[in-house]
Amino acid sequence: MTSSARHERLLSTSVLVIGTGGAGLRASIELAERGIDVLAVGKRRKHDAHTTLAAGGINAALGTMDPEDSWEQHAADTLRESYFLADPAIVEHVTRGAAEGISDLERWGMPFARESDGRISQRFFGAHTYRRTAYAGDYTGLEIQRTLVRRATELQVRVIDTIYITRILVADGTVFGVYGFDVVDGAPVQIRADAVILAAGGHTRIWRYTSSRRDENTGDSFRLAALAGAKLRDAELVQFHPSGLIEPDDAAGTLVSEAARGEGGVLRNARGERFMERYDPERMELSTRDRVALANYTEIAEGRGTERGGVLLDVSHLSREVILEKLPRLYRTLIDLQMLDISEKPIEVAPTAHYSMGGVWVEPEHHGTGIDGLYAIGEASSGLHGANRLGGNSLIELLVYGRITGSAAAAYVQGRTAVARSTDAVAEARAEMTGLLEGRGRETPRRLQRAIRDLMTQHAGVVRSETGLLAGLETLAELEQRELDVTAHPDIAGFDDLAHAFDLKGSLLAARATLESALERRETRGCHNRSDFPEQDDALRGSFLWSPDAGVEFQPATPAPESFRDLAERSDGERVAGTLLE
């Protein structure tokens, strides 16, 4: 039976949250604590959201280990390592609110690692001036997710984790709900809502090697927002984490946490050389992610990599006790996937697409998108990370803006007195789904998804060029034409194939935004390396905004306030001397 022949379910809520990871749950908790009716929906079990994969830690200038740390220094580190592309107001909100975010987690039972006197332990992550990364072994994201799920359950937040959202419904520039389907039985679902918070991740799954799992971060957030009328910002700025596994094939790209380097891991090429001396002799393996990723890429590209095309990350000089205490997840993962004991042998790694530093354009005050009633948070949003994300900043961002945006959405819906709806918007969403289920096309979503990953890896990876980007756009145009011939084929096991078809739509839009924006950024800055424009261009200190109709436009960066701008503009040597050598 096709979805169109099934009864369409109609649900309603004051605020709908799309995404049940850390960002979505934190916003839902804030709304529930304020007495607002909230429904959170996701396409993956809430206990297994992408947040659980975040391993290394969460940042806040608590000063438990280094009392001289401050929110201003955290802001300065964030701004500097963004290559001055971050929105200073967003940076200030996050770094000022970080301690409160940690306090929230403590109140709700988060099991942070602690010193013998009870202080929260904090460790260095790459490019941080002080030790400000709190953690729970290398299971930090998992423990945060568990903590938020537990608190949401206490507040009786409604969560449905089998619903795939295909469209955000808009009438006269104002949100009135969403459309989607149940991935189990295919039933169409219309959810009426006075406000919608988009917290459904980024687009890193459109590369071949990625730390994201198969059916997450496929770009659906980008598509939902763009079709609703919002703009995307910095789509080309994608963080390639330096260390993703190369094998086995079905786990290629799986992250080896930065915690491994934070605890003293070293990088060597196939010749046994500790090569970071060539790229950042001061910070070595604790350099910024973009620099370490480029170093790894360069060693491999210039023939000094392993036979499989990687480099070696070695923690075997650490004691087994330290590894089991500080890196338990990494130890178990390598045993499970490769039967490799990391206390004895090095890990073979290569750069992997890890984090979408760009996303939906949002206002700093509350993460509104410019569409009334639509907000975006977490990896779906943009503005904090610029051209390089500090490790540990994403987890604190979701806690800070989950709270801020939940509060803003609560005030918004309390002030609404009337809601306009559009039958045409609903009909368009319904027809799109029906067309996929009842079509007679010969293309399958999975095949085209793989083709997208191949073209993005080849033409928009760690190093890019105009020739490659134009070739990528030419291939993408062919895939967009083939997508018109896609038909979904659900079976007795469920409607996963329909989900794959919509994942494909999101990936195509995200790929176009990325390639077109990357073409316009004719410079090398942070994660964005142009072989044909190897220098940084001050005229391009800003963001590229993208929308399906208008294409790409440039927005100059906003100057940062003196409170942390001067700190950010100091030289690397002044900032890091003696602080990363423990």
Side-chain angles (χ1 to χ4, degrees):
M1 184 184 297
T2 66
S3 180
S4 61
R6 294 172 180 268
H7 178 67
E8 185 172 294
R9 299 173 191 161
L10 180 62
L11 306 175
S12 64
T13 184
S14 292
V15 180
L16 177 75
V17 178
I18 305 173
T20 57
L25 288 179
R26 181 61 187 90
S28 299
I29 288 167
E30 188 68 23
L31 287 157
E33 289 185 338
R34 293 173 179 271
I36 303 297
D37 181 37
V38 56
L39 170 63
V41 300
K43 58 181 180 177
R44 189 180 208 102
R45 291 189 308 111
K46 60 182 180 293
H47 293 283
D48 192 35
H50 187 68
T51 302
T52 63
L53 300 185
I58 179 171
N59 298 334
L62 304 178
T64 60
M65 309 296 285
D66 295 315
E68 60 270 44
D69 199 8
S70 64
W71 76 262
E72 291 95 339
Q73 186 63 65
H74 185 187
D77 290 352
T78 300
L79 180 64
R80 179 179 180 81
E81 298 311 331
S82 79
Y83 289 76
F84 294 90
L85 298 192
D87 185 316
I90 291 177
V91 171
E92 183 166 346
H93 276 300
V94 170
T95 54
R96 273 184 177 271
E100 184 177 352
I102 298 294
S103 178
D104 286 340
L105 290 177
E106 280 194 286
R107 287 189 295 109
W108 299 332
M110 170 77 182
F112 285 110
R114 294 183 182 270
E115 298 297 298
S116 58
D117 60 2
R119 291 174 296 148
I120 290 178
S121 298
Q122 294 190 281
R123 60 187 172 195
F124 279 121
F125 259 20
H128 289 275
T129 301
Y130 298 111
R131 291 170 291 183
R132 67 168 67 98
T133 303
Y135 59 95
D138 56 355
Y139 286 95
T140 309
L142 177 63
E143 292 292 1
I144 289 174
Q145 184 73 7
R146 286 173 173 171
T147 301
L148 296 177
V149 167
R150 187 165 57 245
R151 179 57 179 158
T153 301
E154 292 171 354
L155 293 168
Q156 298 182 320
V157 172
R158 287 190 297 162
V159 177
I160 305 175
D161 48 15
T162 60
I163 291 183
Y164 191 116
I165 302 302
T166 63
R167 289 285 180 117
I168 294 171
L169 302 174
V170 178
D172 300 326
T174 302
V175 164
F176 69 90
V178 301
Y179 199 85
F181 65 96
D182 190 301
V183 295
V184 176
D185 62 14
V189 180
Q190 182 186 160
I191 306 175
R192 293 177 178 173
D194 295 337
V196 173
I197 299 176
L198 181 60
H203 71 313
T204 52
R205 189 61 201 172
I206 67 175
W207 280 267
R208 186 187 304 142
Y209 298 112
T210 171
S211 58
S212 296
R213 293 170 293 193
R214 289 188 72 185
D215 301 320
E216 58 192 15
N217 289 327
T218 55
D220 37 330
S221 281
F222 288 19
R223 180 175 186 266
L224 288 171
L227 294 187
K231 292 184 177 182
L232 304 181
R233 172 172 52 189
D234 298 332
E236 79 280 13
L237 300 181
V238 176
Q239 184 168 74
F240 286 84
H241 195 287
S243 48
L245 295 180
I246 294 177
E247 60 171 353
D249 287 345
D250 60 357
T254 297
L255 196 65
V256 176
S257 170
E258 188 173 29
R261 290 183 288 120
E263 294 298 336
V266 298
L267 287 163
R268 301 187 189 279
N269 58 27
R271 301 174 184 174
E273 298 168 332
R274 190 177 178 184
F275 57 81
M276 281 307 299
E277 294 176 350
R278 288 196 282 271
Y279 302 93
D280 193 339
E282 181 86 36
R283 294 182 286 196
M284 300 289 281
E285 284 83 7
L286 286 175
S287 184
T288 58
R289 285 180 172 177
D290 62 302
R291 294 183 191 182
V292 181
L294 181 59
N296 288 359
Y297 173 88
T298 302
E299 291 295 309
I300 297 164
E302 294 183 355
R304 294 184 293 276
T306 63
E307 289 185 6
R308 295 189 186 91
V311 295
L312 301 174
L313 174 57
D314 193 3
V315 296
S316 64
H317 56 284
L318 303 177
S319 72
R320 186 178 181 85
E321 291 72 24
V322 166
I323 289 173
L324 293 177
E325 178 188 356
K326 302 288 190 178
L327 306 168
R329 184 177 194 161
L330 179 60
Y331 181 84
R332 174 55 56 190
T333 297
L334 268 296
I335 290 290
D336 289 345
L337 292 179
Q338 299 181 7
M339 288 303 292
L340 176 70
D341 187 336
I342 64 173
S343 69
E344 298 176 354
K345 295 181 179 179
I347 312 160
E348 197 170 4
V349 298
T352 180
H354 178 51
Y355 194 89
S356 302
M357 293 181 292
V360 182
W361 177 91
V362 289
E363 300 172 77
E365 294 75 20
H366 45 59
H367 270 27
T369 64
I371 308 302
D372 283 350
L374 178 61
Y375 305 84
I377 56 176
E379 197 172 354
S381 66
S382 65
L384 177 63
H385 309 295
N388 185 52
R389 177 177 73 89
L390 284 178
N393 264 5
S394 59
L395 289 177
I396 197 60
E397 178 192 18
L398 66 84
L399 287 168
V400 172
Y401 270 107
R403 174 178 51 80
I404 291 173
T405 303
S407 173
Y412 175 82
V413 298
Q414 287 172 327
R416 288 198 75 171
T417 57
V419 178
R421 298 191 181 97
S422 166
T423 56
D424 289 343
V426 176
E428 183 179 2
R430 185 182 293 127
E432 179 180 56
M433 187 182 303
T434 301
L436 285 169
L437 289 166
E438 297 182 354
R440 298 182 180 277
R442 300 177 62 85
E443 292 285 359
T444 60
R446 280 300 201 200
R447 182 185 302 171
L448 296 187
Q449 282 179 310
R450 176 172 292 237
I452 293 172
R453 292 196 292 271
D454 287 343
L455 90 84
M456 294 301 290
T457 299
Q458 181 178 358
H459 300 301
V462 176
V463 177
R464 304 156 177 186
S465 69
E466 180 170 345
T467 300
L469 292 167
L470 289 173
L473 284 167
E474 184 176 339
T475 302
L476 182 64
E478 297 171 0
L479 297 179
E480 288 168 335
Q481 283 300 118
R482 291 174 60 186
E483 188 273 332
L484 300 176
D485 202 31
V486 164
T487 298
H489 299 283
D491 57 28
I492 194 171
F495 280 71
D496 286 347
D497 202 48
L498 183 58
H500 299 330
F502 279 105
D503 283 346
L504 172 62
K505 289 179 179 291
S507 295
L508 287 167
L509 182 142
R512 178 159 291 281
T514 302
L515 291 167
E516 291 184 354
S517 299
L519 188 62
E520 293 301 316
R521 187 169 289 285
R522 294 178 174 87
E523 65 167 350
T524 289
R525 184 186 294 266
C527 66
H528 180 74
N529 297 283
R530 286 285 296 263
S531 60
D532 47 349
F533 293 94
E535 302 299 323
Q536 190 168 295
D537 185 350
D538 285 342
L540 293 178
R541 181 182 285 195
S543 296
F544 286 101
L545 306 183
W546 183 92
S547 61
D549 296 330
V552 182
E553 58 184 295
F554 182 70
Q555 181 183 65
T558 303
E562 291 183 5
S563 59
F564 57 89
R565 183 184 64 223
D566 292 345
L567 284 171
E569 290 175 346
R570 292 181 186 175
S571 72
D572 282 358
E574 290 173 335
R575 291 179 58 247
V576 304
T579 64
L580 299 177
L581 305 180
E582 293 189 343

